Amino acid sequence: MDFRSAEAERHYEDVVAHASGLVVGMDFDGTLAPIVEDPAAATILPGTGDLLVDLAESVSALAVITGRPARQVLALGGLEEVGVAVGQHGRVLHVLGQYGNERWSSVDRRILSPQPPRGLSTFESRLPGLLRRYDAEGAYVEDKGLAVGIHTRRLDDPRGAFDRLLDPVRGLAEELGLQVEPGRLVIEVRAPGTDKGAAVRRLVEQVGAQAFCFVGDDLGDVAAFRAVRDLREQGAVAGLLVCAGSPEERALVDLADVVVDGPDGVQEFLRRLAADTGVRAG
Ligand SMILES: [Mg+2]
């Protein structure tokens, strides 16, 4: 666990001091769950669920904020069970799927979801032709209901295919009024108008957070990092930005207060935060 500056250590102390009003927001893939070739086979790192339950004792709320559909991340993370245990501490686990478009909480345990965006089904019908034109026919296309993910990880040249596809996918998406979200060897196409930053702001308001810690690993988390940083600069919350570092993505490292080593490092961070805030609460 690497604090990037003396100021970063002060931010950590500050969120610990505000533990009773602290929301801990976490991305899923690459943060709580190791990245695997088949996204359907990703699972939360063993032990992380118990750590979340421990942490819930001494903070205000927990939130998993992900690009995945809420239903999927609830299953892959065992998060319904985590939510029950968190509820026994009188705390709430929020799951915000599809960049905050879908909302679930351990209190009401129902997924609230909008209609799929206009243009998405046209995009899906034109996608196979586009993949053929850019020699990426074998790309794995994930239908997420409110979004489509185009994964190049299983192709012979994953990075080359990603680079070839990004501009044409963006062109088609924009033509149809959709938004593109590039990630680690995945290009997501989804409804415009929300991102993880908007999800963070809504949560801060909803729970009246005094502090917010966000843990993420990928480009889709940049908006959440910026939201926490801006709220902190305005004096609205104490804030801490934690990057689950990977060799694949460096964009978050420069914004982060703390860099840890992937999902294992996230566990170490959560354990320390639970211990430090637990001392405070006790
Ligand atoms: Mg991620």
Side-chain angles (χ1 to χ4, degrees), residues 27 29-31 217-218 221:
D27 167 55
D29 291 274
T31 300
D217 76 306
D218 206 350
D221 301 314

Side-chain angles (χ1 to χ4, degrees), residues 92-217:
V92 183
L93 170 68
H94 299 268
V95 174
L96 305 178
Q98 310 227 29
Y99 301 91
N101 268 311
E102 295 179 330
R103 284 175 291 151
W104 177 95
S105 87
S106 55
V107 176
D108 51 35
R109 291 189 284 159
R110 275 183 308 129
I111 296 168
L112 302 176
S113 174
Q115 294 294 314
R118 195 186 288 270
L120 192 64
S121 57
T122 308
F123 178 86
E124 282 179 278
S125 66
R126 290 213 228 153
L127 185 58
L130 187 149
L131 293 178
R132 268 197 303 279
R133 275 201 299 289
Y134 290 91
D135 192 23
E137 251 183 307
Y140 169 58
V141 177
E142 184 187 8
D143 182 349
K144 303 168 81 171
L146 302 177
V148 174
I150 304 156
H151 297 261
T152 63
R153 191 172 292 275
R154 293 189 213 162
L155 298 178
D156 288 340
D157 174 18
R159 173 54 58 185
F162 176 95
D163 291 343
R164 282 199 303 282
L165 286 172
L166 185 56
D167 279 346
V169 165
R170 182 173 274 134
L172 179 57
E174 283 174 359
E175 188 188 318
L176 296 167
L178 300 166
Q179 186 169 325
V180 169
E181 192 83 57
R184 286 165 65 178
L185 301 180
V186 56
I187 306 170
E188 292 209 351
V189 175
R190 62 183 178 84
T194 189
D195 60 21
K196 291 191 183 184
V200 164
R201 287 174 183 280
R202 192 162 56 198
L203 205 52
V204 165
E205 235 169 77
Q206 189 187 337
V207 309
Q210 297 165 324
F212 204 109
C213 169
F214 190 86
V215 192
D217 76 306

